Amino acid sequence: MISFTPSISFGGHATDVGLSDLSNNFLYASGVVLVLAMMAFVLDLAGHPGRMARAEQAREAAAEQSAERADKASAAAGSSKGGTAVLERTTEAAGAIPEKRQYAGIGISLSWLGWLLLGACVALRSASVGRPPLGNMYEFAIVGAFFVMTLFLGWSLKRDIRSLGVFVVGPTLLTEMLAALVFYTDASQLMPSLKNYWLTIHVTIAILSVAFFTIAFSTTILYFVQKWREDIHDTKYKFMDAVPGSAVMDRTTYGLLIIAFPLWTFTVIAGAIWAQKAWGNYWGWDPKEVWSLVIWVVYAAYLHARATAGWAGKKSAYIALAGFGCVLFNFCVVNVFIVGMHSYSGM
């Protein structure tokens, strides 16, 4: 069916409308699957208090049984020392039993499926235009969503981060919805100034940086939530006990931004090199250039404050939030509403 779909020509290059439409369908399918994944992660969090209560009961029952066996062994051997050792070993074994989390497993499985569907969307979009899908805000959004899911799922292979699932899948799903409903641009060829190999280098690294910034934003928000719960000794929202505490979220944000900052530094440098090739000067104070520099300065201040002034916790978290606010402004406002040499959002 696709081979008979009419093509539209842009500057001598054919754009396959059929592949573009198929790419859109994969985006919608990915969105549906990620909705289900997010619901599974929500159910996992909702069931956490009950799981913890059952786990505590199981540990108490195991401790009672081991105590009885220890007493019998102690009476038979005439020594309480051996029984105590048996009790300690048995109790430790009971506490080491892995927690079964059915809904979290379903959420991870659905996340992998949503990631595959989103990857197909990106690949088909690229095939439809015969170039990397990096030429407008729609393509930036779908590739960015794909990178966020790639980082999250890759991370999940090394650490148990199932409790963070809803807080990563949620922003990814929102990005897909914005891409489909707000940022969507018909498949087309690039503007002449964008037809350069630096497009792939510069924009790909920029998207990867923003993926790290996005996950760091989620962990920063979780830091504030957990810090608030710890300060008030919260017992109402017990489901959030499944999420690591504020100190862990603070360190996680710091680790993510340590990776993101050098990537964004390269993005700014690569953009300057590309600007020189395309427009004849490395820096022209274009709005996009200015806000890219602002982002760099804010995150540099974050890392500098933590490394030299010892800022951790709330002080540094506020800077991290300001940095991501600049990222959103650069993407959603500068690209759309401010005219400059980088006005190629496609909208």
Side-chain angles (χ1 to χ4, degrees):
M1 294 293 292
I2 295 175
S3 60
F4 294 100
T5 304
S7 299
I8 300 176
S9 177
F10 290 87
H13 298 277
T15 298
D16 194 317
V17 178
L19 287 179
S20 176
D21 291 342
L22 188 58
S23 170
N24 297 342
N25 291 336
F26 272 104
L27 177 63
Y28 304 147
S30 173
V32 171
V33 171
L34 290 184
V35 166
L36 297 176
M38 190 169 66
M39 292 173 61
F41 285 127
V42 168
L43 291 174
D44 173 66
L45 290 181
H48 178 74
R51 288 198 309 274
M52 291 298 97
R54 291 191 294 272
E56 183 63 27
Q57 292 173 357
R59 283 192 293 267
E60 291 176 356
E64 292 176 359
Q65 293 175 2
S66 63
E68 293 176 359
R69 289 194 296 269
D71 289 341
K72 292 178 181 179
S74 177
S79 172
S80 62
K81 184 176 180 180
T84 302
V86 172
L87 172 59
E88 291 175 350
R89 288 195 300 270
T90 308
T91 303
E92 290 173 357
I97 297 174
E99 181 185 3
K100 294 182 179 180
R101 297 169 59 180
Q102 178 182 8
Y103 286 115
I106 293 173
I108 288 291
S109 298
L110 289 172
S111 296
W112 278 107
L113 177 57
W115 173 79
L116 288 172
L117 293 170
L118 184 55
C121 163
V122 172
L124 288 169
R125 177 73 175 200
S126 178
S128 71
V129 292
R131 57 171 175 77
L134 305 170
N136 50 60
M137 285 183 66
Y138 169 75
E139 294 171 358
F140 191 105
I142 61 174
V143 175
F146 178 75
F147 279 7
V148 169
M149 291 302 298
T150 301
L151 293 177
F152 170 68
L153 292 171
W155 190 10
S156 73
L157 296 176
K158 295 183 176 294
R159 295 286 187 273
D160 183 4
I161 56 171
R162 294 174 293 177
S163 299
L164 304 182
V166 65
F167 306 104
V168 176
V169 174
T172 302
L173 182 61
L174 177 61
T175 301
E176 289 189 348
M177 292 173 62
L178 288 172
L181 302 176
V182 179
F183 300 148
Y184 182 75
T185 304
D186 290 332
S188 62
Q189 295 304 310
L190 295 173
M191 297 171 55
S193 61
L194 298 181
K195 293 180 180 180
N196 190 290
Y197 63 89
W198 278 104
L199 170 72
T200 302
I201 299 172
H202 170 65
V203 180
T204 299
I205 299 300
I207 296 175
L208 183 59
S209 306
V210 172
F212 276 104
F213 288 147
T214 301
I215 298 178
F217 168 74
S218 295
T219 57
T220 303
I221 294 297
L222 287 173
Y223 161 79
F224 279 111
V225 172
Q226 296 297 69
K227 181 63 176 174
W228 169 76
R229 294 182 65 240
E230 292 163 4
D231 289 344
I232 67 171
H233 304 289
D234 170 60
T235 58
K236 182 178 179 181
Y237 303 102
K238 297 292 290 182
F239 66 91
M240 286 297 294
D241 288 347
V243 178
S246 63
V248 175
M249 290 293 94
D250 184 47
R251 292 195 300 270
T252 302
T253 300
Y254 183 44
L256 289 167
L257 293 180
I258 285 176
I259 299 172
F261 182 73
L263 293 173
W264 190 256
T265 301
F266 178 84
T267 297
V268 175
I269 294 173
I273 295 172
W274 186 13
Q276 196 280 330
K277 291 181 176 295
W279 301 313
N281 60 308
Y282 290 99
W283 193 265
W285 296 104
D286 182 72
K288 190 76 172 178
E289 295 173 345
V290 171
W291 277 96
S292 295
L293 180 61
V294 169
I295 293 169
W296 186 90
V297 169
V298 173
Y299 281 115
Y302 170 88
L303 295 177
H304 179 74
R306 291 198 65 126
T308 60
W311 280 23
K314 286 187 177 180
K315 290 182 178 179
S316 61
Y318 284 127
I319 302 177
L321 286 183
F324 193 72
C326 293
V327 171
L328 291 179
F329 185 86
N330 188 40
F331 181 62
C332 298
V333 177
V334 174
N335 281 349
V336 179
F337 299 105
I338 300 179
V339 178
M341 292 184 293
H342 288 81
S343 299
Y344 46 79
S345 67
M347 299 176 61

